[in-house]
Amino acid sequence: MSYTVDDIEKMVEPARVHRKVYTDEEIFALEMQRVWGRTWIFAGHASEVAKPGDYKTFNIGQQAMIMVRDRDSNSIGVFYNRCSHKGAKLVGDGSGCAKAFRCPYHAWTFKTDGTLLATPPTKTKASTGFEPGDPAYNLVAAAQVDNYRGFVFVNLDANAPAMQPFFGDSLSSIDNMVDRSPESELEIAGGVLRYRHDCNWKSFVENLNDNMHPMATHQAAIEACQGYANDLPEGSPVPETVSILGPFGSSYDFFDEMSHVVFPNGHSYSGNSVSIHSAYPPVPDYVAAMESAHGEDKTRDIFSCARHNTLYYPSLTIKGAIQSIRVIRPISVNCTDIETYTFRLKGAPDEMLQRTLLYSRLINSPSSIVGSDDLEVYQRVQAGLQGMGNDWVSLERQQGNDVEHEDGSTTGMGSSELPFRNQYKYWLQWMTDTQPLKIKA
Amino acid sequence: MSNFQRPGLKKIETFLYRESGYLDNMQLRQWIDMFTASGDYWMPVSVDQQDPINHISIFYDDRDLMEIRLRHLDNPRSHSKDFSIRSSHVLANICIDEFNEVNGDCTVSCNFQCIMYSRDQQEIFAGRCNYQLVMQDGHYMIQRKRVDLINCDAPHGSIQSYV
């Protein structure tokens, strides 16, 4: 069947969504056009393409893309990864440094700014059939590319609003993560984890600000960790593993206090001054480096902000206090890759990156006792929602207690399902907008 | 002066079969006890990865984390482990790479194929294992088991137990 605007409107109520939103292949295909095609999608971090000619490939749904730092202008561009001749994917998946991009099929070669450079053996109209220099034969650039403090985002629709207004005040979480570097600069370091999730991308995205699941989903991990810590001989130092896993076992009251802040276009964070990341033991050399760079007052301000996940809907979630990010790469209606990247805070001691990596390995690795229990429930959601007995998913918790503010944000208690309601409000706006994407700027 | 004799391949083979047998039979208590107090289990995410501390890994478990993982597995509310996890290791190409005749320590390696089964799904893991073995009270203990999957850098679903 083919969904009309009316059909889609019937799938999303203010606090309930229809199960097909997670399970229907046609909805997924529409989402890739209408949501992922016109929102700002995370391409990568500028430090991944630090030198002229550096590139990496990534996907926005089915759209294969290349992010590249141009050799001449030194600016970062994003192009569709498709040769303008017969359509072959120009660059194999991965990253590297290129003088130019040469298609493996007929050796058409493109400069790192996307310009067609060569069409062997000769670049004449007689041999190719088009005027040399005709821009229609250059690589097609993504409609919009922008960079916020090193975070490169791309938008496939030239009609979409600019990046900064799209993200609004949620960008303060990126500010806080960058400010945690004594040199106010981040660098991706320590490799990438890729974790395949057999579930719809939205199950993962919603869970990021689901403060009511740890005590159930992670009960076993919490008990395992607490039980082990309790059985250690008295006076034993607390293993770092325990100090990271332990806070997942915080009480309902604690998580309720980790209130939600949501923004227009689906973005949100939970936990501001209080979160499961606020009580890590300080690293003295790091605190000293920060105080010498920023002064004591500003350093205290920076550290007092210990937000949990901040979601840049729909493709990126960051943990500023941990310096790790996860990138959501939907593959199909029931398959999503989650990529975890970690950052070095420039000017900070190595211990900081080491803690980031420890956290990431404990929580975000395919081997994680936390991540595997999360994925288990997403898989069960995917299976359960096939059931015809009940078409509706409830997002109603604390619905009456949301507070709207003049600055456009809305706040709710930590136990609220406000972030999900907010996501679907905008999801519905995009999904019912039938205007085609404007592909070229 | 040499205090120790180089172990025969048979002795090493028997040790490795016991180690992978504990994994295949989910006897994780016995498996953990094969490690020294400062021992670790490492599964890198990159080919030829040099460093488990300054680079991310799929697994890098010290004894603390092994014990926590064991308790998680045994907990009735570890829902991802609701289904029995079974594995079958086949080891081959076993080599003794280094031997220290002063203290008896040695480094051995082998190829492996491990089929892991859980909830109607079989997964294949394959690659090469490297073991740093130390001699303690006349027995070998594992200081480090390193597992290099041939597809270490591919996207993986949940890896439910040690390979």
Side-chain angles (χ1 to χ4, degrees), chain A residues 254-290:
Chain A
F254 181 91
F255 279 103
D256 216 11
E257 223 180 295
M258 275 177 54
S259 56
H260 292 291
V261 183
V262 309
F263 301 93
N265 302 316
H267 319 305
S268 58
Y269 66 81
S270 82
N272 200 359
S273 54
V274 176
S275 80
I276 59 170
H277 308 308
S278 42
Y280 294 148
V283 176
D285 288 351
Y286 168 57
V287 176
M290 283 290 285

Coordinates of all heavy atoms in Angstrom, one line a residue, chain A residues 254-290:
Chain A
F254 N 16.4 9.2 42.1 CA 17.6 9.9 41.4 C 17.3 10.1 40.0 O 17.5 11.2 39.4 CB 18.8 8.9 41.6 CG 20.1 9.5 41.0 CD1 20.9 10.3 41.8 CD2 20.4 9.2 39.7 CE1 22.1 10.8 41.2 CE2 21.6 9.8 39.1 CZ 22.4 10.5 39.9
F255 N 16.8 9.1 39.3 CA 16.5 9.3 37.8 C 15.4 10.3 37.6 O 15.4 11.0 36.6 CB 16.2 7.9 37.2 CG 17.4 7.1 36.9 CD1 17.8 6.0 37.7 CD2 18.2 7.4 35.8 CE1 18.9 5.3 37.4 CE2 19.4 6.7 35.5 CZ 19.7 5.6 36.3
D256 N 14.5 10.4 38.5 CA 13.4 11.4 38.4 C 14.0 12.8 38.5 O 13.6 13.7 37.8 CB 12.4 11.2 39.5 CG 11.0 11.5 39.0 OD1 10.8 11.6 37.7 OD2 10.0 11.6 39.8
E257 N 15.0 12.9 39.3 CA 15.7 14.2 39.5 C 16.5 14.6 38.2 O 16.7 15.8 37.9 CB 16.6 14.1 40.6 CG 16.6 15.4 41.5 CD 17.5 15.2 42.7 OE1 17.3 14.3 43.5 OE2 18.5 16.0 42.8
M258 N 16.9 13.6 37.4 CA 17.6 13.8 36.1 C 16.5 14.3 35.1 O 16.2 13.6 34.2 CB 18.2 12.5 35.6 CG 19.6 12.3 36.2 SD 20.2 10.7 35.6 CE 20.1 10.8 33.8
S259 N 16.0 15.5 35.4 CA 14.9 16.0 34.6 C 15.2 16.1 33.1 O 16.4 16.1 32.7 CB 14.5 17.4 35.1 OG 15.6 18.2 35.1
H260 N 14.2 16.2 32.3 CA 14.3 16.3 30.8 C 14.2 17.7 30.4 O 13.4 18.5 30.9 CB 13.2 15.5 30.1 CG 13.4 14.0 30.3 ND1 14.4 13.3 29.8 CD2 12.6 13.2 31.0 CE1 14.2 12.0 30.1 NE2 13.1 11.9 30.9
V261 N 15.0 18.1 29.4 CA 14.8 19.3 28.6 C 14.7 18.9 27.2 O 15.6 18.3 26.6 CB 16.0 20.3 28.8 CG1 15.8 21.6 28.1 CG2 16.3 20.5 30.3
V262 N 13.6 19.3 26.5 CA 13.4 19.0 25.1 C 13.3 20.3 24.3 O 12.9 21.4 24.8 CB 12.2 18.1 24.9 CG1 12.3 16.9 25.8 CG2 10.9 18.9 25.0
F263 N 13.7 20.2 23.1 CA 13.8 21.4 22.2 C 13.0 21.1 20.9 O 12.7 20.0 20.6 CB 15.3 21.7 21.8 CG 16.2 21.9 23.0 CD1 16.9 20.9 23.6 CD2 16.3 23.2 23.5 CE1 17.7 21.1 24.7 CE2 17.1 23.4 24.7 CZ 17.8 22.4 25.2
P264 N 12.7 22.2 20.2 CA 12.0 22.0 18.9 C 12.9 21.1 18.0 O 14.1 21.0 18.1 CB 11.9 23.4 18.3 CG 11.9 24.3 19.5 CD 12.7 23.6 20.5
N265 N 12.2 20.3 17.1 CA 12.8 19.4 16.2 C 13.3 18.1 16.8 O 14.1 17.4 16.1 CB 14.0 20.1 15.4 CG 13.5 21.3 14.6 OD1 12.4 21.3 14.0 ND2 14.2 22.4 14.7
G266 N 12.9 17.8 18.0 CA 13.1 16.5 18.5 C 14.3 16.3 19.4 O 14.6 15.2 19.9
H267 N 15.1 17.4 19.6 CA 16.3 17.2 20.4 C 16.0 17.3 21.9 O 15.0 17.9 22.3 CB 17.3 18.4 20.0 CG 17.3 18.7 18.6 ND1 17.6 17.7 17.7 CD2 17.1 19.8 17.9 CE1 17.5 18.2 16.4 NE2 17.2 19.5 16.5
S268 N 16.9 16.7 22.7 CA 16.6 16.6 24.1 C 17.9 16.2 24.9 O 18.8 15.6 24.3 CB 15.5 15.6 24.4 OG 15.8 14.4 24.0
Y269 N 17.9 16.5 26.2 CA 18.8 15.9 27.1 C 18.2 15.7 28.4 O 17.1 16.2 28.7 CB 20.1 16.7 27.2 CG 20.0 18.1 27.9 CD1 19.9 18.2 29.3 CD2 20.0 19.3 27.2 CE1 19.9 19.4 29.9 CE2 19.9 20.5 27.8 CZ 19.8 20.6 29.2 OH 19.7 21.8 29.8
S270 N 18.8 14.8 29.2 CA 18.3 14.6 30.6 C 19.5 14.7 31.5 O 20.6 14.4 31.1 CB 17.6 13.3 30.7 OG 18.4 12.3 31.0
G271 N 19.2 15.1 32.7 CA 20.3 15.3 33.7 C 21.1 16.6 33.4 O 21.6 16.7 32.3
N272 N 21.1 17.5 34.3 CA 21.9 18.7 34.1 C 23.0 18.7 35.1 O 24.1 18.3 34.8 CB 21.0 19.9 34.1 CG 21.7 21.1 33.4 OD1 22.8 21.0 32.9 ND2 21.0 22.2 33.3
S273 N 22.7 19.2 36.3 CA 23.7 19.2 37.3 C 23.9 17.8 38.0 O 24.9 17.5 38.5 CB 23.4 20.2 38.4 OG 22.1 20.0 38.9
V274 N 22.8 17.0 37.8 CA 22.9 15.6 38.4 C 22.7 14.6 37.3 O 21.7 14.7 36.5 CB 21.7 15.4 39.4 CG1 21.7 14.0 39.9 CG2 21.9 16.4 40.6
S275 N 23.6 13.7 37.2 CA 23.3 12.5 36.3 C 24.2 11.4 36.8 O 24.9 11.5 37.8 CB 23.7 12.9 34.8 OG 25.1 12.8 34.7
I276 N 24.1 10.3 36.1 CA 24.9 9.1 36.5 C 26.4 9.3 36.2 O 27.2 8.5 36.6 CB 24.4 7.8 35.8 CG1 24.5 7.9 34.3 CG2 23.0 7.4 36.2 CD1 24.3 6.6 33.6
H277 N 26.7 10.5 35.6 CA 28.1 10.8 35.4 C 28.7 11.8 36.3 O 29.8 12.3 36.2 CB 28.3 11.3 33.9 CG 27.7 10.4 32.9 ND1 28.0 9.1 32.8 CD2 26.8 10.7 31.9 CE1 27.3 8.5 31.9 NE2 26.6 9.5 31.3
S278 N 27.9 12.3 37.3 CA 28.3 13.5 38.1 C 29.3 13.1 39.2 O 29.9 14.0 39.7 CB 27.1 14.3 38.6 OG 26.1 13.5 39.1
A279 N 29.4 11.9 39.5 CA 30.2 11.6 40.7 C 31.5 10.8 40.4 O 32.0 10.1 41.3 CB 29.4 10.8 41.7
Y280 N 32.0 10.9 39.2 CA 33.3 10.2 38.9 C 34.4 10.8 39.7 O 34.5 12.0 39.9 CB 33.6 10.2 37.4 CG 32.7 9.4 36.6 CD1 32.4 9.9 35.3 CD2 32.1 8.3 37.0 CE1 31.5 9.2 34.5 CE2 31.2 7.6 36.2 CZ 30.9 8.0 35.0 OH 30.0 7.3 34.2
P281 N 35.4 10.0 40.2 CA 36.5 10.6 40.9 C 37.3 11.6 40.0 O 37.5 11.3 38.8 CB 37.4 9.4 41.3 CG 36.8 8.3 40.6 CD 35.5 8.6 40.1
P282 N 37.7 12.8 40.5 CA 38.4 13.7 39.7 C 39.8 13.2 39.3 O 40.4 12.5 40.1 CB 38.5 15.0 40.5 CG 38.3 14.5 41.9 CD 37.5 13.2 41.9
V283 N 40.3 13.7 38.2 CA 41.7 13.4 37.8 C 42.5 14.7 38.0 O 42.3 15.7 37.3 CB 41.8 13.0 36.3 CG1 43.2 12.8 35.8 CG2 41.0 11.7 36.0
P284 N 43.4 14.7 39.1 CA 43.9 16.0 39.5 C 44.7 16.8 38.5 O 44.5 18.0 38.3 CB 44.9 15.6 40.7 CG 44.4 14.3 41.1 CD 43.7 13.6 40.0
D285 N 45.5 16.1 37.6 CA 46.3 16.8 36.6 C 45.3 17.5 35.6 O 45.6 18.5 35.0 CB 47.2 15.9 35.8 CG 48.4 15.4 36.7 OD1 48.5 16.0 37.8 OD2 49.1 14.5 36.3
Y286 N 44.2 16.8 35.4 CA 43.3 17.4 34.4 C 42.6 18.6 35.0 O 42.5 19.7 34.3 CB 42.2 16.3 34.1 CG 41.0 16.8 33.3 CD1 41.2 17.5 32.1 CD2 39.7 16.6 33.8 CE1 40.1 17.9 31.4 CE2 38.6 17.1 33.1 CZ 38.8 17.7 31.9 OH 37.7 18.2 31.3
V287 N 42.2 18.5 36.2 CA 41.5 19.7 36.9 C 42.5 20.9 36.8 O 42.1 22.0 36.5 CB 41.1 19.4 38.3 CG1 40.5 20.6 39.0 CG2 40.0 18.2 38.3
A288 N 43.8 20.6 37.1 CA 44.8 21.7 37.1 C 44.9 22.3 35.7 O 45.0 23.5 35.6 CB 46.1 21.1 37.6
A289 N 44.9 21.4 34.7 CA 45.1 22.0 33.3 C 43.9 22.8 33.0 O 44.0 23.8 32.3 CB 45.2 20.8 32.4
M290 N 42.7 22.4 33.4 CA 41.5 23.1 33.1 C 41.5 24.5 33.8 O 41.2 25.5 33.2 CB 40.3 22.3 33.5 CG 39.9 21.2 32.6 SD 39.3 21.8 31.0 CE 37.6 22.3 31.5

